[in-house]
Amino acid sequence: MTANAPLTNDRFLRALRREPVDCTPVWLMRQAGRYLPEYRATRSAAGSFLNMAKNPELACEVTLQPLRRFPLDAAILFSDILTVPDAMGLGLYFVEGEGPKFERPVRSAADIARLAVPDMGTELRYVTDAVSLIRRELNGSVPLIGFSGSPWTLACYMVEGGGSKDFARVKSLALNDPAAMHQLLEVTTDAVIAYLSAQRAAGAQALQVFDTWGGVLSPAMYREFSLRYLKRIAQELPRGEGADRTPLILFGKGNGAYVEELAATGTEGVGIDWTVDLGDAARRTGGKVALQGNLDPVTLYASPDAIRAEVGRALDSYREGNGGSREGHVFNLGHGMSPDMNPEHVAVLVDAVHALSRR
Ligand code: CP3
């Protein structure tokens, strides 16, 4: 095995350690995707999203595409959160215009009892192969982020069999048979920990958990069915010590009410959406964690001047809530990008983050 090149841009990792930076680092959730013509070309040559995600060379190519255009401070593995339930035997497929679906959703206690942690060296080998290849191709330019869905968010798709408007099936399971729901969340948490560990071993330099659907739960159910398992991940995921520690970021849509509790899990970073004031979140977490976020993605549809103004507002809000310092802030959107966004506006956003935060 050849050693990977040392990092030339480590702003993102420094920010997660709450160390001083020359300017605030920025990356964007869904920075690789359909808004880029070169992504659409690779995807059409591959035939489908899944063919692309399951082929390490193509996954590497689309991971690097946004970095060729914009001076982003991190790369994120091109893959999907639903690779894990797919490897658990649920049969992932995509219907054009309808999003992800499972052939064999989890509907009963018997279905749950059959689930097991997939073998990372075989069933999810295509992901760790992609991580190693991307890390090598990045050649030390910026750090590589690996990721997973949160246990609750994965359970939503596993039980619903796809996306959902009201999450009636998965919430009913949690209410009617909490023991079965916990059994599902336990095995999924074991799988998430194994998956993130395998990505780290393959070369991922930071790890993010997407709790996209935690915010649809009542506070009591959030604490019981989502937060509890996020905490288990933060506590049990092995990630090294000191400057070599691989930081973990817990991102959640609609998690604004819980930032103190998330900061207390032992994670290094918390990702928040745009419904929370960054300065308030910084005050409430008191320097315990780094914060990531939180521009409303819809801002990218606005004019360049409006984008710059909103970037400035978010940077200022963080600094004001963080005792006058920019340390510990990773700039991002509050959720992922959409296919009809204008790449030129992304360039405006990334440049504004760097220019407006530079010391
Ligand atoms: O951020 C990145 O650039 C990395 C790539 C990434 C994808 N999915 C690629 C993708 C990441 C981090 C994800 C995570 C993911 N996948 C989440 C959590 C993040 C979030 O948005 O909250 C969720 C809920 C999923 C499940 C999923 N996969 C959905 C809802 C969809 C969209 C379906 C659609 O048609 O819009 C996918 C497919 C998917 N994953 C696409 C991409 C770029 C679009 C696929 C395509 O090209 O058709």
Side-chain angles (χ1 to χ4, degrees):
M1 215 174 101
T2 50
N4 282 306
L7 272 176
T8 48
N9 173 357
D10 65 348
R11 260 176 217 139
F12 168 72
L13 295 178
R14 293 179 66 86
L16 286 169
R17 293 194 296 264
R18 299 188 56 84
E19 292 171 1
V21 283
D22 59 339
C23 60
T24 298
V26 53
W27 69 279
L28 304 173
M29 289 188 274
R30 291 275 176 95
Q31 64 191 25
R34 287 168 288 185
Y35 77 103
L36 291 175
E38 58 270 34
Y39 172 92
R40 297 195 297 269
T42 308
R43 182 181 186 271
S44 99
S48 73
F49 166 75
L50 272 183
N51 284 349
M52 197 165 58
K54 291 191 173 182
N55 177 312
E57 281 77 25
L58 297 179
C60 177
E61 163 58 23
V62 290
T63 299
L64 300 178
Q65 285 172 350
L67 296 146
R68 294 187 190 120
R69 281 186 182 245
F70 318 114
L72 294 156
D73 297 299
I76 179 161
L77 162 71
F78 186 83
S79 188
D80 199 83
I81 62 167
L82 302 179
T83 52
V84 169
D86 184 46
M88 289 166 104
L90 274 65
L92 175 63
Y93 66 103
F94 283 85
V95 182
E96 198 62 48
E98 284 179 54
K101 299 236 187 280
F102 285 117
E103 280 163 29
R104 293 171 290 279
V106 167
R107 288 285 155 76
S108 64
D111 292 342
I112 293 170
R114 274 194 295 271
L115 295 172
V117 175
D119 180 51
M120 300 298 145
T122 53
E123 280 127 311
L124 287 162
R125 181 63 183 260
Y126 66 91
V127 176
T128 51
D129 282 350
V131 168
S132 307
L133 182 61
I134 298 162
R135 177 77 191 270
R136 198 168 76 223
E137 293 294 315
L138 282 168
N139 196 26
S141 53
V142 290
L144 173 61
I145 306 167
F147 70 90
S148 167
S150 75
W152 166 255
T153 293
L154 293 177
C156 285
Y157 286 98
M158 292 166 83
V159 174
E160 298 290 339
S164 172
K165 277 194 188 58
D166 57 7
F167 300 91
R169 278 197 163 104
V170 68
K171 287 184 182 178
S172 299
L173 176 65
L175 292 164
N176 291 334
D177 194 349
M181 189 69 212
H182 282 298
Q183 198 185 339
L184 170 57
L185 291 165
E186 288 293 348
V187 65
T188 305
T189 301
D190 291 340
V192 166
I193 292 172
Y195 189 52
L196 292 172
S197 300
Q199 290 181 50
R200 176 172 177 264
Q205 290 148 292
L207 299 164
Q208 175 157 317
V209 172
F210 287 86
D211 190 26
T212 306
W213 300 123
V216 304
L217 291 166
S218 68
M221 287 182 75
Y222 174 82
R223 292 188 176 101
E224 178 173 355
F225 298 108
S226 183
L227 183 64
R228 187 206 285 206
Y229 296 96
L230 294 173
K231 180 168 182 186
R232 227 191 99 197
I233 295 164
Q235 296 283 316
E236 294 179 18
L237 177 67
R239 50 196 189 281
E241 294 303 327
D244 288 335
R245 190 165 172 85
T246 306
L248 173 70
I249 304 168
L250 300 178
F251 165 76
K253 268 260 0 274
N255 64 3
Y258 312 108
V259 290
E260 295 90 340
E261 289 160 89
L262 287 161
T265 57
T267 187
E268 284 72 35
V270 173
I272 59 177
D273 73 16
W274 61 95
T275 62
V276 200
D277 186 84
L278 256 175
D280 281 341
R283 264 187 296 277
R284 286 163 53 203
T285 50
K288 258 184 124 158
V289 287
L291 292 177
Q292 180 176 278
N294 72 341
L295 213 61
D296 183 344
V298 166
T299 309
L300 282 168
Y301 295 119
S303 67
D305 281 345
I307 294 169
R308 282 187 280 265
E310 288 302 303
V311 167
R313 191 209 301 274
L315 288 168
D316 290 351
S317 166
Y318 180 83
R319 185 168 59 175
E320 177 263 321
N322 192 47
S325 156
R326 298 195 189 284
E327 289 162 23
H329 182 203
V330 174
F331 204 99
N332 206 315
L333 302 173
H335 199 197
M337 295 185 60
S338 297
D340 59 348
M341 286 173 169
N342 180 348
E344 287 170 32
H345 287 201
V346 176
V348 169
L349 185 151
V350 172
D351 289 341
V353 173
H354 290 152
L356 298 176
S357 65
R358 202 170 286 278
R359 289 169 174 268

